[in-house]
Structures are given as structure tokens and as C-alpha cells.
């Protein structure tokens, strides 16, 4: 076949034919650049460059001269010190060497400082002299500095010289910017000045600059006015309350809100240090009355409710009232039976909803700031992925802490937010009884339970006070009691004017009855539970701590920690009230501190199913019934004896009664009890009916005996 070619020994061929024919490119002479040639400068640029180099050289030479003069002075001083030390040694031979060395070292340090000061002064003087000489030589037409005969001692300071040099350099740079040919100069002085020029020459229109100046001026005036007002208030020793005539004039005129607000602040300022700021003829109650009137006029509350709020928040009343004027943020709760919070948040963000997690204390809550779609009509809402629920409504269920496969009662559950939350925590296991006294509101529970996919809930409609007679033996009971609504004034502003003392007393009485019924429904022998959670959307003590104190006295329960990491402790001492020491385990939530609706949460543990005092009541009732029976028997016996003594014939039908008397004598009981042998106990209420029937029967039998 022929000899094969070894590919490893192939010699590389040179460039191709086209490459060989191609010649190197040639350019016209105008475009060629000689790297050796430097760029030509204009005459003006050459002068400026020359001046800068001369100044630079002079500055360096002055610096060297300073250093040399300083070294010379230092050497001279050292030589003088040596001579003085020798003389001191000869004169003071009795002194110790250590002391002499210490003194000499201290003197050297002081003299070094003096030398430095003198050298600096000499350097300044030399700089001034050199600058004067430059000014005289540079131009006779425009003399700079001092030109009189005393210029030797009238020398400008170093700071003045530096400012003059910087101004001259700035002028040179401005000229170079106008020419546009000095961009390639890499001088160290030019770089700093270019940066300053860029900062100063910002792109701002004249009208923008004027507006900026005007805003600064207005802000400055406002700060001065506030400072002056504060100083006036602080300097004012005593605030005088308005007199009766002034109050009458104000009542006849429309209210001036600014004046009222200013008076509120001043009265609060006086109450902050009442002893030092009050008027001598005024009492604390006078200031409090004026404060309550002004707060009622400014925030539109009635006096009864405002007094209650001032008692609760003596120092934070303004913050609380201002928080009630602002709506709480909209919150939603994720249904963990159908989705996760992360997936729900991503789906809502894609629909144009701006939201964030509600906080570290909840793993299912989201706060909605803004939404481009209605939250109650999204596909996620209709599919039951979330429910619109207030953030404070999460807290009772978190305190209840339901476990799987338990039997739980939600005594007042409408509209079903807490019930569905309990079901999601139980993962649709166990049984939940959702009760509500209002039949129309119970329909909302049905809708939410179906939409959220709850399958372990029984919905019923009973009066909560009578529920123990219907069913009992629950592991855990949740009672979100109906209340006055003083914690949700931002939602219902009618509370400001509608609530009075009777409404509060009515709510408190109902809450006590419901709480006792809830405790009776709970089973103390439950292996996993025996807990009752009581919550209200009110902040008044009459509806919270007072109700819990009543339950502690009437039932075998005790307070336990709620498990909530935040919130303020309940009151142990409030005004004239003294509550149980464990009342601090309860939790209070306020709109101005936690940005939640006003709420109260307490958790109780039942340790016995017996009702205190119930046995004594039954014993007393039975004793009273027995005493009534004995008294009636005595009366009947006396009546029968009287009839026999009057000479009347005995009744024919008394044959059956004769043996009965003998039996009664033996047993120690009357014949009247023998007729009701079928009844085990004698009820006092039926005694009159029994007596009347006997009387009628006697009247019928008497005529028969006569015949």
C-alpha cells in the first residue's frame, strides 16, 4: 500500500498564500502618534505649571530648613544642659544620683517641649517671610499681604497663608477647567481640588436651591418654637385651673380642640409632680375632674367610662385613647389542616397582598398591610386556607393548649374562629362541642367549620349557664365570655357613649354564672386536662379579676400559668380591691403597648369535682323539711283530740286509722306520713296541697257519719 506517514513528525507549514501576500497596514501621517513627543501646552498652562513647581520647591526647601534649625536648637540646648548639670553636681555633692537623674530627665522633657514650640514659631515666621518675598517679586501691580513698613512683625498667621494658597490653587484649577486641556495632569494638589469641585457643582436648579433653603429655614423656626414652648412650660411653676366663669364661656361657645389639648397636657404635667406644681387652694380631685371633662370633650367618651379608664391608666391615658382612635392591623390565621403559612404567604403575595408574620409568638398568624384584592373573596379564602381573625383571639386557644383525642367544650364559640383553631391544633381528632346561646350566630359556626374542613365538631345551641345539666365531663373548657367591649373600642366606637354602670354590672353577673357553669362542665379527674380558660375582650377589673376571684371562692380551682410569653400581669391590688396573690399569673393585653385589641386571659385548673358548701346546703334543707313535717303532725293530733272531746261520733272510716296510730306510736311518726309511703322524701312545698285535700275529705265523710 505504500509508506505510512508518522503524524508525530509532521512539519508545520507556514502561513497560507493569502497571508503571505498581505502586507502590514499603513496609516496616514496625521493619525500617527509619537509616544516620545509630549503634549504641547499653551502659554497660560505653562505659566501655571511653572508657578506650581516653584511653590512646591519652596515649600520643600522651607521644610528642610525647619528641620535643620530644630536640630541645631536641640543640640545647643543639650550642650547647655550638660554644662548646667556639671555645675549642679559640683555644688550639690550630698544629693543622691537617682534624684539628680530624675530631675535632669524632667528638665530635658520640658526643654524639648520648649524647643518644639520655638521651632514651630520660627517655622511660621520663615514661612511668612518667604510668602511676603514671593508676593513682592511676583507682581508689582497687584501687591498681596501687608505692604507697610511694619510688615516684619505684622505677619499673617499660618492658617491665613494656607487659605490664600488654596484660593490661588482653586482659581488655577477653574481656569484649567475652562480651557479643557488640563485633564491629564496628575499633580497631588489637583486631585483633591477636583473632588471638591465635583461636590460643589451638583446638578440643582435655582428654584430647587431656593426651596431647599426655605425648608431649612422653616424647620429651624419650628424647632425654635417648640424649644420656646417647652421652656415656657418648664419655667411655669404653677398652672392655674380655669374658673367657673371661663368654663361657662367655653360651654356657650363651640369647643376649641387645641385649647383643650393644651390644657390636658398641662394638667397631666401638674399631676406628674402634684406636690410641687399644684395651686395651694386646689386638691388632686379638682385636677382629676378637669382632666376627665377635657378628655371626654376631646375624645367623645362618657364620664363613667372615662373615670374607669383613668383609674386603669393614670399615666398612660393619652396613649391608650390615641391607640383607640387608630384601627388595629388586619390579621389572618393559617389553616394548618390544608396548607402551610409559607405557601399561603407566597400565594397571597402573588395576588398583590403586602403581608408579614404577626410575630415570634405565633406560627400561623399573618399581618396584612395592604391588599389589591378583597381578603374575603380570594380562592384561598374560599378553599379554607385561612380565616380573618384578630391577633388577640389567638391567645385563649394558645393558653388552652388542646391535645389530640380530647373532649373539649367551647361554651360561646360564635363565629367559630377559636373553634377552628382548636380543631387545627387537634388535627381533626377527638371531639369539640361548639355551643352558642344565639341561634342566628350559630349559623356562622356552621359555615366556617365546613369551609375550613373541620370534621370533629358538634355544634349546639344551649344557654351556657344550663349546659352542665345537658353534658359534663370535658377535658378542657374554653369560655370567651360576652363582655362590655372596652378593649375593642377601635372596632365599635359606640362603646364610648353607650356603656354605663348597669351594663358593667349586668355583664359581670352573667360572666360569673357562665364561669361557674364552665367549671362544673370540666372533669377534674381527666388524665390530660382539667383546665378552664377564661377570656374577655374587656380591660375593666370588674369583668376580669373580680370574676376570677369569685370563681376561686366558689369552686375547687386554682390559677396556673397561661404559657404566654408576653403581656402584662393581672392586678393583685387595685384601688380598694385585694385579689388572690396568684392573680399575677393572668395576662392583660393593651392596644397602645402590644398593638392588639384589649384582652384578658386566665387559666384555671380544677382539682376536685365537689362543690364547696353543697353538702351543707342539702343537710340544712333536709333538716328544715323534717322540722316542718313534725310541726304539722302535732297540729293534726291536737285537732283530732279536740274533736273527740266535743262529743262528736267517731268517723266510720277510722278503722284503718286505728292501727295506724299504734304504728305511729311505735315508730315515732305521724299518720299523715303513712299515706305517702310511695314518696321517699317529704317536700315542704307540697304540704299545703296535702292539707287541703285532707280537709275536703273530712268534710265529705262527716255527713255520712251523721246519716
Amino acid at each position: 500500500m505504500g509508506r505510512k506517514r508518522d503524524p508525530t513528525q509532521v512539519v508545520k507549514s507556514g502561513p497560507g498564500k493569502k497571508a503571505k501576500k498581505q502586507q502590514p497596514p499603513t496609516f496616514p501621517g496625521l493619525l500617527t502618534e509619537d509616544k516620545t513627543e509630549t503634549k504641547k501646552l499653551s502659554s497660560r498652562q505653562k505659566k501655571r505649571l511653572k508657578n506650581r513647581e516653584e511653590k512646591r520647591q519652596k515649600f520643600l526647601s522651607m521644610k528642610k530648613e525647619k528641620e535643620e534649625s530644630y536640630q541645631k536648637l536641640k543640640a545647643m540646648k543639650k550642650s547647655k544642659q550638660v554644662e548646667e548639670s556639671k555645675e549642679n553636681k559640683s555644688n550639690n555633692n550630698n544629693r543622691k544620683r537617682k534624684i539628680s537623674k530624675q530631675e535632669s530627665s524632667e528638665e530635658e522633657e520640658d526643654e524639648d517641649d520648649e524647643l518644639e514650640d520655638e521651632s514651630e514659631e520660627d517655622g511660621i515666621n520663615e514661612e511668612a517671610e518667604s510668602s511676603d518675598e514671593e508676593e513682592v517679586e511676583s507682581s508689582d501691580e497687584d501687591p498681596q499681604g501687608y505692604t507697610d513698613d511694619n510688615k516684619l512683625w505684622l505677619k499673617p498667621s499660618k492658617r491665613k497663608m494656607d487659605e490664600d494658597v488654596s484660593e490661588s490653587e482653586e482659581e488655577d484649577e477653574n481656569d484649567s477647567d475652562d480651557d479643557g486641556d488640563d485633564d491629564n495632569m496628575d499633580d497631588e494638589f489637583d486631585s483633591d481640588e477636583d473632588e471638591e469641585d465635583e461636590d460643589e457643582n451638583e446638578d440643582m436648579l435655582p428654584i430647587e436651591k431656593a426651596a431647599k433653603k426655605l425648608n431649612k429655614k422653616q424647620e429651624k423656626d419650628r424647632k425654635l418654637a417648640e424649644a420656646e414652648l417647652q421652656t415656657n412650660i418648664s419655667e411655669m411653676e404653677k398652672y392655674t385651673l380655669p374658673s367657673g366663669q371661663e368654663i361657662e364661656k367655653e360651654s356657650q361657645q363651640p369647643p376649641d380642640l387645641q385649647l383643650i389639648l393644651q390644657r390636658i397636657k398641662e394638667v397631666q404635667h401638674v399631676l406628674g409632680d402634684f406636690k410641687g406644681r399644684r395651686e395651694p387652694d386646689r386638691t388632686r380631685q379638682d385636677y382629676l375632674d378637669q382632666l376627665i371633662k377635657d378628655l371626654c370633650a376631646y375624645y367623645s367618651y362618657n364620664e363613667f367610662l372615662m373615670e374607669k379608664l383613668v383609674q386603669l391608666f393614670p399615666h398612660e391615658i393619652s396613649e391608650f385613647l390615641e391607640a383607640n382612635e387608630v384601627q388595629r392591623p388586619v390579621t389572618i390565621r393559617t389553616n394548618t389542616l390544608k396548607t402551610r403559612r409559607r405557601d399561603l404567604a407566597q400565594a397571597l403575595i402573588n395576588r398583590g397582598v403586602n403581608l408579614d408574620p404577626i410575630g415570634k409568638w405565633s406560627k400561623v398568624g399573618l399581618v396584612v398591610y395592604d391588599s389589591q384584592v378583597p381578603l374575603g373573596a380570594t380562592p384561598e379564602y374560599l378553599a379554607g386556607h385561612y380565616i380573618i381573625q384578630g391577633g388577640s383571639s389567638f391567645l385563649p386557644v394558645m393558653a388552652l393548649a388542646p391535645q389530640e383525642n380530647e373532649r373539649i367544650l367551647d361554651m360561646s364559640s360564635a363565629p367559630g374562629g377559636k373553634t377552628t383553631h382548636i380543631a387545627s391544633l387537634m388535627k381533626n381528632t377527638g371531639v369539640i362541642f361548639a355551643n352558642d346561646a344565639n341561634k342566628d350566630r350559630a349559623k356562622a359556626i356552621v359555615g366556617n367549620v365546613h369551609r375550613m374542613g373541620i370534621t370533629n365538631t358538634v355544634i349546639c345551641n344551649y344557654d351556657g349557664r344550663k349546659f352542665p345539666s345537658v353534658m359534663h365531663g370535658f377535658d378542657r373548657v374554653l369560655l370567651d365570655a360576652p363582655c362590655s367591649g372596652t378593649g375593642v373600642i377601635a372596632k365599635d366606637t359606640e362603646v364610648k357613649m353607650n356603656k354605663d354602670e348597669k351594663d358593667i354590672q349586668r355583664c359581670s353577673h352573667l360572666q360569673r354564672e357562665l364561669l361557674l357553669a364552665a367549671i362544673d362542665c370540666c372533669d377534674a379527674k381527666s388524665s390530660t386536662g382539667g383546665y378552664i380558660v377564661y377570656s374577655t375582650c374587656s380591660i375593666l377589673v370588674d369583668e376580669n379579676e373580680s370574676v376570677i376571684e369569685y370563681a376561686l371562692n366558689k369552686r375547687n380551682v386554682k390559677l396556673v400559668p397561661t404559657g404566654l410569653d408576653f403581656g402584662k400581669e393581672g392586678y393583685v391590688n387595685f384601688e380598694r380591691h385585694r385579689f388572690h396573690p396568684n392573680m399575677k399569673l393572668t395576662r392583660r393585653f393593651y392596644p397602645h403597648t402590644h398593638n392588639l385589641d384589649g384582652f384578658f386571659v386566665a387559666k384555671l385548673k380544677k382539682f376536685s369535682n365537689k362543690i364547696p358548701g353543697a353538702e351543707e346546703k342539702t343537710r340544712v334543707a333536709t333538716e328544715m323539711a323534717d322540722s316542718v313535717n313534725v310541726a304539722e303532725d302535732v297540729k293534726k293530733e291536737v285537732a283530732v283530740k279536740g274533736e273527740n272531746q266535743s262529743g262528736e261520733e267517731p268517723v266510720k272510716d277510722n278503722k284503718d286509722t286505728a292501727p295506724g296510730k299504734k304504728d305511729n306510736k311505735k315508730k315515732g311518726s305521724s299518720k299523715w306520713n303513712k299515706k305517702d309511703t310511695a314518696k321517699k322524701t317529704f317536700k315542704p312545698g307540697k304540704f299545703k296541697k296535702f292539707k287541703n285535700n285532707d280537709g275536703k275529705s273530712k268534710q265529705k265523710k262527716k255527713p255520712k257519719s251523721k246519716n
Side-chain angles (χ1 to χ4, degrees):
M1 292 294 292
R3 187 178 296 174
K4 293 183 179 180
R5 190 176 180 183
D6 188 3
T8 58
Q9 296 180 359
V10 176
V11 181
K12 293 182 179 181
S13 60
K17 294 180 180 179
K18 293 183 179 179
K20 289 179 182 178
K21 292 179 181 179
Q22 189 175 2
Q23 295 180 357
T26 57
F27 299 98
L30 295 173
L31 297 176
T32 57
E33 293 182 358
D34 294 335
K35 295 181 181 180
T36 57
E37 294 181 2
T38 58
K39 188 176 180 180
K40 293 182 180 180
L41 301 175
S42 63
S43 59
R44 196 173 180 182
Q45 290 176 352
K46 288 179 181 178
K47 289 179 181 179
R48 287 197 297 272
L49 181 61
K50 187 177 180 181
N51 291 331
R52 281 195 294 273
E53 289 178 354
E54 288 178 356
K55 290 178 182 179
R56 193 174 178 184
Q57 292 296 330
K58 288 179 180 178
F59 179 75
L60 294 173
S61 62
M62 287 166 60
K63 195 173 182 180
K64 288 180 181 179
E65 289 177 358
K66 279 187 201 176
E67 292 176 356
E68 291 176 358
S69 61
Y70 176 72
Q71 293 295 334
K72 288 179 181 179
L73 289 170
K74 195 172 183 180
M76 291 170 66
K77 290 287 183 181
K78 283 183 179 180
S79 61
K80 290 180 181 179
Q81 285 177 5
V82 171
E83 293 176 357
E84 290 176 357
S85 63
K86 289 180 181 179
E87 292 177 358
N88 291 330
K89 284 180 182 180
S90 61
N91 295 328
N92 302 322
N93 293 325
N94 297 328
R95 292 183 181 179
K96 293 181 180 181
R97 293 180 180 179
K98 293 182 180 180
I99 296 171
S100 64
K101 287 181 180 179
Q102 290 177 359
E103 291 177 353
S104 63
S105 62
E106 291 176 358
E107 290 175 357
E108 287 178 359
E109 290 177 357
D110 297 335
E111 288 173 356
D112 290 337
D113 295 336
E114 292 176 359
L115 286 170
E116 289 177 358
D117 296 336
E118 290 177 359
S119 62
E120 288 178 358
E121 292 176 358
D122 295 337
I124 292 168
N125 295 335
E126 289 176 358
E127 288 177 0
E129 289 176 359
S130 61
S131 62
D132 291 335
E133 291 174 358
E134 290 173 2
E135 290 170 358
V136 172
E137 292 176 357
S138 59
S139 60
D140 296 333
E141 296 176 358
D142 297 325
Q144 296 178 356
Y146 298 96
T147 56
D148 57 351
D149 297 331
N150 297 325
K151 66 180 180 180
L152 294 175
W153 58 275
L154 290 172
K155 294 177 182 177
S157 63
K158 185 176 181 180
R159 184 176 179 183
K160 182 71 176 175
M161 292 172 63
D162 294 336
E163 290 177 357
D164 294 335
V165 171
S166 63
E167 288 176 1
S168 63
E169 290 176 354
E170 286 176 359
E171 290 176 0
D172 294 338
E173 287 300 316
N174 291 329
D175 294 336
S176 64
D177 291 334
D178 294 334
D179 294 336
D181 297 327
D182 200 17
D183 295 332
N184 296 325
M185 301 299 291
D186 295 330
D187 196 272
E188 60 184 0
F189 299 101
D190 296 342
S191 62
D192 296 333
E193 292 171 359
D194 291 336
E195 291 176 1
E196 293 176 1
D197 293 335
E198 289 176 0
D199 294 335
E200 292 176 358
N201 296 329
E202 294 178 352
D203 297 334
M204 289 182 68
L205 296 172
I207 191 170
E208 292 177 346
K209 292 180 180 178
K212 191 174 181 181
K213 290 180 181 179
L214 183 61
N215 290 334
K216 287 182 178 179
K217 187 178 180 181
Q218 290 177 352
E219 187 176 359
K220 189 176 180 181
D221 294 339
R222 183 179 61 79
K223 289 180 179 179
L224 290 172
E226 289 179 356
E228 186 177 358
L229 181 62
Q230 291 177 359
T231 53
N232 290 336
I233 292 172
S234 61
E235 289 174 359
M236 188 183 297
E237 294 180 357
K238 294 177 182 179
Y239 168 71
T240 57
L241 288 173
S243 61
Q245 296 178 355
E246 293 177 354
I247 293 172
E248 289 180 0
K249 288 182 180 179
E250 288 183 5
S251 62
Q252 294 175 0
Q253 297 176 356
D256 187 359
L257 296 180
Q258 289 296 117
L259 179 62
I260 293 172
L261 181 61
Q262 184 64 30
R263 192 161 57 207
I264 289 170
K265 291 181 179 179
E266 290 172 349
V267 172
Q268 288 178 341
H269 180 70
V270 173
L271 292 173
D273 185 11
F274 184 73
K275 187 176 180 180
R277 297 169 185 166
R278 73 182 183 94
E279 293 182 65
D281 299 334
R282 298 282 189 171
T283 61
R284 184 183 293 271
Q285 191 62 37
D286 295 338
Y287 286 94
L288 285 174
D289 293 342
Q290 185 63 43
L291 178 63
I292 289 170
K293 288 180 182 178
D294 291 338
L295 290 173
C296 291
Y298 191 79
Y299 293 101
S300 302
Y301 283 77
N302 60 12
E303 290 189 4
F304 166 75
L305 186 57
M306 186 58 69
E307 287 178 0
K308 292 284 186 182
L309 296 177
V310 169
Q311 291 174 1
L312 278 170
F313 308 105
H315 304 294
E316 303 174 356
I317 183 64
S318 297
E319 290 80 358
F320 175 77
L321 296 175
E322 286 293 336
N324 286 335
E325 300 299 318
V326 181
Q327 292 290 333
R328 303 277 78 74
V330 179
T331 55
I332 60 176
R333 180 180 57 79
T334 308
N335 183 12
T336 55
L337 296 174
K338 292 189 174 184
T339 185
R340 295 184 302 173
R341 185 171 70 170
R342 184 185 302 172
D343 299 336
L344 175 65
Q346 188 61 44
L348 293 177
I349 289 170
N350 293 336
R351 295 189 185 279
V353 180
N354 185 14
L355 49 81
D356 274 330
I358 194 171
K360 295 181 180 179
W361 55 272
S362 176
K363 296 182 180 180
V364 294
L366 292 169
V367 181
V368 178
Y369 300 110
D370 186 18
S371 176
Q372 298 179 2
V373 294
L375 292 174
T378 60
E380 287 79 12
Y381 177 83
L382 299 175
H385 290 186
Y386 67 90
I387 185 172
I388 301 171
Q389 188 178 5
S392 56
S393 298
F394 299 176
L395 305 172
V397 181
M398 293 170 63
L400 186 66
Q403 305 298 320
E404 296 182 14
N405 298 315
E406 283 188 340
R407 197 172 178 222
I408 294 177
L409 170 64
D410 189 358
M411 188 167 277
S412 56
S413 59
K418 298 179 183 66
T419 302
T420 55
H421 193 184
I422 294 170
S424 64
L425 292 176
M426 295 174 65
K427 299 179 181 178
N428 260 342
T429 61
V431 182
I432 302 171
F433 289 86
N435 177 67
D436 199 87
N438 191 342
K439 193 172 183 179
D440 294 332
R441 296 191 69 195
K443 295 177 182 178
I445 307 173
V446 177
N448 283 321
V449 165
H450 282 298
R451 185 175 58 83
M452 303 289 281
I454 309 300
T455 58
N456 65 340
T457 302
V458 178
I459 300 167
C460 50
N461 177 27
Y462 289 100
D463 186 356
R465 295 171 290 183
K466 300 177 181 179
F467 204 86
S469 61
V470 178
M471 192 179 298
H472 55 83
F474 293 96
D475 296 319
R476 297 171 195 261
V477 179
L478 173 63
L479 174 61
D480 186 18
C483 61
S484 60
T486 53
V488 289
I489 297 175
K491 293 180 181 178
D492 186 10
T493 56
E494 293 181 357
V495 177
K496 296 180 179 180
M497 300 298 293
N498 292 344
K499 300 300 177 183
D500 57 2
E501 189 172 2
K502 291 183 179 179
D503 295 330
I504 303 302
Q505 291 177 354
R506 192 181 301 113
C507 288
S508 178
H509 181 69
L510 177 61
Q511 289 159 359
R512 294 181 184 191
E513 291 180 337
L514 288 171
L515 183 55
L516 293 183
I519 294 170
D520 293 338
C521 288
C522 187
D523 185 11
K525 297 179 181 179
S526 174
S527 58
T528 59
Y531 294 101
I532 304 98
V533 171
Y534 173 80
S535 63
T536 62
C537 55
S538 174
I539 59 172
L540 299 181
V541 175
D542 297 335
E543 300 181 69
N544 297 324
E545 283 86 355
S546 297
V547 177
I548 298 296
E549 185 72 17
Y550 178 81
L552 293 175
N553 295 329
K554 294 294 182 180
R555 293 293 185 271
N556 292 321
V557 292
K558 62 180 181 180
L559 282 166
V560 294
T562 58
L564 301 173
D565 298 334
F566 67 107
K568 293 190 175 182
E569 296 179 353
Y571 290 105
V572 178
N573 300 323
F574 180 77
E575 297 290 330
R576 66 182 185 278
H577 301 287
R578 297 295 177 268
F579 300 114
H580 195 275
N582 288 339
M583 200 66 70
K584 62 183 179 181
L585 297 176
T586 61
R587 287 290 175 267
R588 284 175 159 269
F589 303 91
Y590 300 124
H592 64 287
T593 55
H594 306 102
N595 199 19
L596 297 171
D597 292 328
F599 227 75
F600 175 82
V601 180
K603 189 173 184 180
L604 299 168
K605 170 71 174 174
K606 187 175 182 180
F607 56 85
S608 176
N609 288 327
K610 294 181 180 180
I611 298 174
E615 296 178 355
E616 295 181 0
K617 288 181 181 179
T618 55
R619 184 176 58 79
V620 170
T622 54
E623 289 178 356
M624 290 176 67
D626 293 339
S627 64
V628 170
N629 292 337
V630 172
E632 293 295 335
D633 292 341
V634 172
K635 289 180 181 179
K636 294 294 181 181
E637 290 177 357
V638 170
V640 171
K641 288 180 180 179
E643 290 177 355
N644 293 332
Q645 290 176 0
S646 62
E648 293 181 355
E649 295 180 357
V651 181
K652 292 181 179 180
D653 295 335
N654 287 341
K655 293 179 181 179
D656 298 334
T657 59
K661 288 181 180 180
K662 295 178 182 179
D663 296 337
N664 291 336
K665 289 178 182 178
K666 293 178 182 178
K667 296 180 181 179
S669 60
S670 65
K671 61 183 180 180
W672 305 104
N673 285 334
K674 191 174 181 181
K675 292 182 180 180
D676 295 332
T677 53
K679 297 182 180 179
K680 295 182 180 179
T681 58
F682 186 84
K683 296 183 179 180
K686 294 183 179 180
F687 185 78
K688 293 181 180 179
K689 295 179 182 178
F690 185 58
K691 183 178 179 182
N692 294 332
N693 292 332
D694 293 339
K696 290 178 182 178
S697 63
K698 283 181 180 180
Q699 290 175 2
K700 290 178 182 178
K701 288 178 182 179
K702 282 179 182 178
K704 286 182 182 180
S705 62
K706 289 178 182 180
N707 293 328

